[in-house]
Amino acid sequence: MAISSPSNRQLTEWRKLLQGKYRKRENKFIAEGLRCVEQILSQNRIKIEAVIVEKDFHLDDSFKSSDLPLFELDTDDFNSMSDTDTPQGVLAICHTPEETTLEELTQSDGLLIAVDAVQDPGNLGTMIRTASWFNVSGLLIGHGTVDPFHPKVVRSTAGATGALPYIKTDLSEALKNFEAVGWNVSALDGGTESVSLKEVQTPKNNILIVGNEGNGVNPELMTARQRIRIDGNADNVESLNAAVALSIALYQFSQ
């Protein structure tokens, strides 16, 4: 594989992908870190435009056998494209996978996750990774949720980016559409009116809402819908991290 140096224009355009408005405009994102890039490369779900390495980075066989364009940058230029304090020396410029449609998701079956205003990139990335592990059928990304193609989200998925169908949508209207065709909707909520996760019987087609780290699920989304709590010792810990709570619920639902 031949290694090239990018033009100044290429470098400028790639740097812009650290900003959400440019990721949206260009339909591209940055995947950073050796494990993340290797996973995306091996799974072949996402189109990669280019692989970029820091000077003297050791390339393994998975990269050498690829016919992808490969570019090398000096340390300063590479760091200017990185979203981490300690870059690993490799990143990829990727094309954002197309969103699915509500119609396609309503015709699927199994479990869907609705993400309501989750703002921490690490949390969302962990949710996507966990949902992929438990074979969730798709993701509904609600308003106020961090960009699923933010560099930290992509890094936190550990290569699961692009593994699940997804759509960015108004959850209030979307959930009504699902219910109209027979889907059940429930929400993770630690309130006293909630049913213990241990007692929940999950129907064939179910949507589970997970909410904002500080405020939980928007009350408007929980009206007349089942609320599910995860029992624990509230004297020691006020609440669970949103991604941890979802992981526990998905494990229970998979039994």
Side-chain angles (χ1 to χ4, degrees):
M1 174 187 286
I3 301 178
S4 306
S5 296
S7 66
N8 289 333
R9 180 179 179 180
Q10 282 176 306
L11 188 55
T12 298
E13 292 301 312
W14 291 340
R15 285 187 182 125
K16 290 180 179 179
L17 298 178
L18 292 170
Q19 303 176 55
K21 64 180 180 180
Y22 288 107
R23 290 195 296 272
K24 182 177 180 180
R25 188 184 76 181
E26 300 297 327
N27 286 316
K28 296 177 185 178
F29 67 94
I30 296 173
E32 182 175 357
L34 180 59
R35 183 180 180 190
C36 182
V37 174
E38 282 182 334
Q39 287 291 315
I40 290 176
L41 184 63
S42 65
Q43 292 168 2
N44 199 31
R45 295 190 185 104
I46 290 175
K47 182 179 179 181
I48 298 177
E49 177 179 295
V51 174
I52 302 166
V53 296
E54 185 178 1
K55 187 177 180 180
D56 297 327
F57 177 82
H58 175 70
L59 288 171
D60 62 22
D61 292 340
S62 63
F63 293 97
K64 292 178 180 178
S65 62
S66 168
D67 58 358
L68 292 169
L70 179 65
F71 296 90
E72 186 180 71
L73 295 175
D74 63 34
T75 297
D76 287 342
D77 282 337
F78 188 89
N79 289 347
S80 73
M81 290 188 58
S82 172
D83 185 61
T84 68
D85 293 330
T86 55
Q88 295 183 22
V90 59
L91 54 83
I93 306 300
C94 304
H95 290 261
T96 305
E98 290 187 11
E99 294 184 34
T100 188
T101 65
L102 284 177
E103 181 180 6
E104 288 175 330
L105 285 179
T106 57
Q107 292 174 357
S108 65
D109 56 26
L111 178 65
L112 300 174
I113 302 302
V115 185
D116 177 35
V118 170
Q119 298 175 344
D120 181 83
N123 274 344
L124 182 60
T126 300
M127 290 176 183
I128 294 171
R129 178 182 182 181
T130 306
S132 178
W133 177 264
F134 285 108
N135 292 317
V136 166
S137 298
L139 301 170
L140 305 174
I141 308 293
H143 297 324
T145 298
V146 64
D147 176 14
F149 300 100
H150 182 289
K152 187 174 181 181
V153 175
V154 175
R155 197 163 59 252
S156 298
T157 69
T161 294
L164 299 176
Y166 77 99
I167 186 171
K168 299 177 182 178
T169 186
D170 178 348
L171 291 181
S172 179
E173 292 301 315
L175 295 176
K176 292 176 184 177
N177 291 337
F178 278 93
E179 288 172 323
V181 293
W183 283 73
N184 178 72
V185 178
S186 53
L188 286 176
D189 178 63
T192 56
E193 298 179 1
S194 301
V195 178
S196 172
L197 176 63
K198 298 175 183 178
E199 301 172 5
V200 172
Q201 299 295 320
T202 56
K204 178 181 178 182
N205 291 342
N206 191 45
I207 298 175
L208 181 63
I209 312 171
V210 58
N212 176 273
E213 293 88 348
N215 301 316
V217 176
N218 186 330
E220 294 181 2
L221 298 178
M222 293 195 291
T223 303
R225 290 173 176 145
Q226 184 180 53
R227 305 180 186 192
I228 301 173
R229 73 173 183 271
I230 298 173
D231 296 323
N233 191 340
D235 292 333
N236 291 336
V237 180
E238 180 183 2
S239 64
L240 287 173
N241 168 278
V244 171
L246 178 64
S247 299
I248 294 171
L250 290 180
Y251 175 77
Q252 182 69 24
F253 285 2
S254 70
Q255 300 305 299

